[in-house]
Amino acid sequence: MKKNRFGGRWATFFLAAGLFSTILISCKENSDDMVGQKTVSDVIRENPEFSILKELVIYTEGTDALKAQNATFFLPSDAAFNKAKITSASQITYMPKDSVRNFLNSHVLKGLVSYAELKPGKYDAVYKKFKLEVAKKDTSFTINGSEIARRNVNASNAMIQVVDSLFVKVK
């Protein structure tokens, strides 16, 4: 006697189709579930190469520039501070908070500028008394003589360029 397997095949087909559609429906992302891009403050706080900078930001109770939208940050890494013989934030935090805040703001340029969009010239930093001078050296750009060690780190509110030395001397 020949068995009829037609019903089992249809059941298997519908079971597989139902399982596949359930997987598709359950994988839809809700905008509330999505992880947003990190802000400049998040990048500084979570990256160990910015430990000195993190302490300075905490000391100044944050800076308005960190909350700015469409800004370009030329952030000095710990290696940049070490190059200036600054091994800990305590070598800077003895200064008044306003002076440290001005130091931080001297590393910020208004406007969102990627590395490819940099043009030689002088620009006003967020700290108005300070100028950022962009120069082209061979095939790369320098900012006040500092080389850009890491380019175009995106943040939700800004563009970050990591520099290899400080722009201003800390006294």
Side-chain angles (χ1 to χ4, degrees), residues 84-103:
K85 298 185 177 23
I86 297 171
T87 56
S88 75
S90 64
Q91 291 175 272
I92 300 174
T93 55
Y94 72 88
M95 298 168 46
K97 286 183 183 183
D98 284 341
S99 296
V100 177
R101 201 172 283 121
N102 291 338
F103 166 77

Side-chain angles (χ1 to χ4, degrees), residues 26-170:
S26 67
C27 288
K28 285 187 178 179
E29 289 187 18
N30 184 348
S31 62
D32 296 334
D33 297 335
M34 296 174 83
V35 176
Q37 192 175 18
K38 295 179 181 182
T39 65
V40 175
S41 297
D42 294 336
V43 171
I44 292 170
R45 195 173 47 252
E46 296 172 7
N47 193 327
E49 95 177 287
F50 297 122
S51 63
I52 295 173
L53 192 61
K54 173 183 158 184
E55 289 181 48
L56 296 178
V57 170
I58 291 169
Y59 172 70
T60 60
E61 298 164 359
T63 176
D64 292 338
L66 291 174
K67 299 171 190 160
Q69 294 292 322
N70 300 324
T72 303
F73 290 79
F74 298 100
L75 297 182
S77 63
D78 286 352
F81 282 100
N82 291 334
K83 192 174 178 180
K85 298 185 177 23
I86 297 171
T87 56
S88 75
S90 64
Q91 291 175 272
I92 300 174
T93 55
Y94 72 88
M95 298 168 46
K97 286 183 183 183
D98 284 341
S99 296
V100 177
R101 201 172 283 121
N102 291 338
F103 166 77
L104 294 173
N105 288 335
S106 68
H107 290 78
V108 183
L109 175 67
K110 285 185 181 179
L112 198 59
V113 182
S114 71
Y115 183 82
E117 297 170 329
L118 286 173
K119 303 231 182 304
K122 288 191 176 192
Y123 302 91
D124 288 329
V126 169
Y127 176 52
K128 296 285 187 202
K129 294 181 180 179
F130 191 76
K131 298 274 186 202
L132 294 171
E133 185 173 349
V134 177
K136 190 159 188 166
K137 181 180 176 184
D138 298 327
T139 58
S140 61
F141 287 101
T142 61
I143 314 297
N144 289 28
S146 298
E147 303 230 356
I148 297 176
R150 200 166 64 234
R151 305 171 181 168
N152 299 336
V153 178
N154 290 313
S156 63
N157 62 332
M159 179 70 67
I160 300 170
Q161 312 291 344
V162 181
V163 293
D164 72 344
S165 56
L166 304 178
F167 294 161
V168 293
K169 292 182 181 179
V170 183

